[in-house]
Amino acid sequence: MTTQPMNITLSSQPADARWGEKAILSSNDSGMTLHLTGADALNTIQRAAHKIDSQGIRHVALTGEGWHLEQCWAFWQGFRGPKGQRQVEWPELGEHEQAEFDRRLKIIDWVRNVINLPAEDLGPEQLAHTAVDLISEVGGSAVSYRITKGDDLREQGYMGLHTVGRGSNRPPVYLALDYNPTGDENAPVYACLVGKGITFDTGGYSLKQSSFMDSMKSDMGGAATVTGALAMAISRGLNKRVKLYLCCADNMVSSNAFKLGDIIRYRNGKSVEVMNTDAEGRLVLADGLIDASEQNPTLIIDAATLTGAAKTALGNDYHALFTFDDVMAQSLMGSAVSENEPFWRLPLAEFHRSHLPSNFADLNNIASPSHAAGASSAAAFLSHFVSNYQQGWLHIDCSATYRKGAVDQWAAGATGLGVRTIANLLLK
């Protein structure tokens, strides 16, 4: 039996006093009204939508004036949840708004769905293949790719990814994807995107507590975000060559897992001593950044759910941005503002690069105890694998990717934040 939809309308008038002085929702016989009386109307719509969903209402119709692209999207961000089915009867939008809304529904919902999948259902190989499927669907014949896995990674010199992933019975996987709409195999590469795809992170022998491990199916959020960003940019008309590198692995405990004191020797000549197996994201990203640097692109963007320190600084509300390039930082922050997504720049300076001393290798994979800036030192570690790290390199520590519990405006789970901002930047 089909249910009748709950009609949802927008109003710039405050709710009747009986609903409360600052009520954002009221209802009557004809449906529910969202009261947009504050400064941030889109946030109010998202919070109201989540409130409607939390009341068990699963079928709504957005009616009346004021429902445009951004209002509809804000409603969906709050109304959508990881359990059950939701049905929305959307208002008519203009042709361009409808096309943009449809691509957001397709691509950002893909990102949220993939991040929310249990690790049992999404291993390294599945992550790589589902990324290929999404990009191929929007990029068609302009897409080519190579997937390397298991011991082939060691033989080809992808030592960080192989070392981290070898402890799992699901082999590590590296995806190198080329979107080349020019058709010219010698066309310059405009941008490289590198994503951390740790499909489950136990911490390895530096074992996480359960309260930190329970959300680690989302540790591939960086890979999902850059995949979605490239798909979004392509669907918006990207005509430049972009390469995508996904570093996919499980970080497990086993007789074959890597150990503290092990030394990883990378293709760019750097050696790294492992002093914490839970700082594994930077070890796999290093391989992707080496490949990205070899392309000599204008822009390198890596995205990773990299540090707890970034979440301590920003909560789950902002993505953290690190870069030495002030011009590129301003460009990304401008993209974030235009897409209404939350980014915040955190410090990254030349002195952070010396915070990783090792007695036995060029670098330690964690900062020395006297240096407490964990997110900055993690970014600094990555800079050692970017040949021209001072220009055109952006590192995004994806603090806003996933929420362990529901809040005012979000259901529990993945948010999809960051996809539109990176896509916007690729199109500048």
Side-chain angles (χ1 to χ4, degrees), residues 95-112:
E95 181 181 351
H96 294 297
E97 284 199 336
Q98 188 65 55
E100 171 65 13
F101 187 64
D102 289 344
R103 68 175 65 102
R104 290 186 195 179
L105 283 175
K106 174 190 177 67
I107 294 166
I108 297 179
D109 276 13
W110 176 92
V111 172
R112 293 178 76 174

Side-chain angles (χ1 to χ4, degrees), residues 301-316:
I301 304 172
D302 75 76
T305 49
L306 202 64
T307 67
K311 285 184 184 175
T312 300
L314 302 177
N316 292 125

